[in-house]
């Protein structure tokens, strides 16, 4: 059995390494910086409560990252479902001064326009692969699909992009 101190150390490492990335991912999902901050807090609270399910092996870093993104994805989806709306921030709003991006968010104008024309599902899969840097297996874990389906969605999203 792994000691609680080791589990806590791994959890704190996850927070330090992925807090900004999770915040950016959530901001792009919900389009509101303050809400994204709240959902980031909720993500790490849920992760803390589920610490007994966290893989603590030294070779489980990729699975821990995917686990964390799945918690974030579920927190945002739960929130949006409760609000009975799915709202992606039009990326063009950044150019027009709308919205308040989370730290580290910047993109070239043509890229924003191209992303804005994608469906929410296409944009989501591109964000998970490109921005979050997840592998096909990790994206599959986050979305609850197979790795083959994740790669196919990425291919279709790239073509649409």
């Amino acid at each position: 059995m792994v000691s609680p101190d080791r589990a806590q150390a791994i959890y704190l490492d996850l927070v330090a390494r992925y807090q900004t990335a999770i915040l950016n991912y959530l901001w792009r999902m919900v389009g509101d910086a303050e809400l994204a901050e709240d959902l980031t807090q909720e993500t790490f609270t849920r992760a803390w409560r589920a610490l007994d399910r966290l893989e603590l092996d030294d070779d489980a870093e990729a699975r821990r990252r995917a686990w964390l993104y799945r918690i974030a994805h579920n927190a945002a989806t739960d929130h949006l479902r409760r609000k009975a709306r799915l709202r992606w921030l039009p990326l063009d709003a950044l150019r027009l001064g709308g919205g308040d991006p989370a730290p580290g968010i910047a993109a070239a104008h043509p890229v924003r326009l191209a992303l804005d024309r994608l469906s929410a599902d296409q944009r989501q899969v591109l964000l998970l692969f490109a921005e979050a840097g997840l592998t096909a297996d990790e994206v599959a874990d986050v979305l609850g699909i197979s790795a083959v389906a994740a790669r196919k969605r990425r291919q279709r999203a790239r073509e649409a992009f």
Side-chain angles (χ1 to χ4, degrees):
M1 178 163 190
V2 176
S3 75
D5 289 341
R6 171 133 165 82
Q8 183 176 359
I10 289 174
Y11 170 80
L12 292 174
D13 181 61
L14 283 173
V15 173
R17 292 175 66 178
Y18 297 110
Q19 184 175 9
T20 300
I22 293 292
L23 174 64
N24 288 336
Y25 173 71
L26 289 168
W27 181 81
R28 290 197 180 193
M29 277 191 73
V30 299
D32 179 286
E34 189 173 311
L35 176 57
E37 289 174 2
D38 291 344
L39 290 172
T40 300
Q41 177 90 20
E42 184 176 336
T43 295
F44 286 102
T45 300
R46 287 182 184 187
W48 176 257
R49 289 182 185 143
L51 202 55
D52 61 326
R53 289 179 268 158
L54 179 63
E55 290 187 55
L56 302 174
D57 300 335
D58 290 335
D59 65 343
E61 177 62 30
R63 291 187 300 277
R64 286 193 292 263
R65 180 174 64 162
W67 176 77
L68 195 56
Y69 270 93
R70 182 163 188 102
I71 293 171
H73 175 79
N74 289 343
T77 301
D78 291 348
H79 171 79
L80 295 171
R81 200 173 286 135
R82 281 191 305 269
K83 295 293 185 186
R85 63 181 169 86
L86 177 60
R87 183 179 151 240
W88 284 81
L89 175 67
L91 296 177
D92 197 38
L94 292 174
R95 179 177 57 86
L96 301 174
D100 191 17
I105 295 179
H109 171 65
V111 173
R112 285 196 306 260
L113 292 176
L115 284 171
D116 197 35
R117 287 191 290 266
L118 297 177
S119 71
D121 289 339
Q122 290 170 330
R123 200 171 346 182
Q124 179 182 46
V125 79
L126 285 180
L127 287 173
L128 288 170
F129 274 108
E131 183 176 305
L134 299 182
T135 66
D137 288 333
E138 293 167 332
V139 171
D141 286 345
V142 171
L143 300 178
I145 59 177
S146 71
V148 171
R151 283 190 289 275
K152 189 65 173 175
R153 286 186 188 185
R154 176 181 56 189
Q155 177 185 349
R156 289 181 181 149
R158 282 180 175 169
E159 289 169 1
F161 181 77

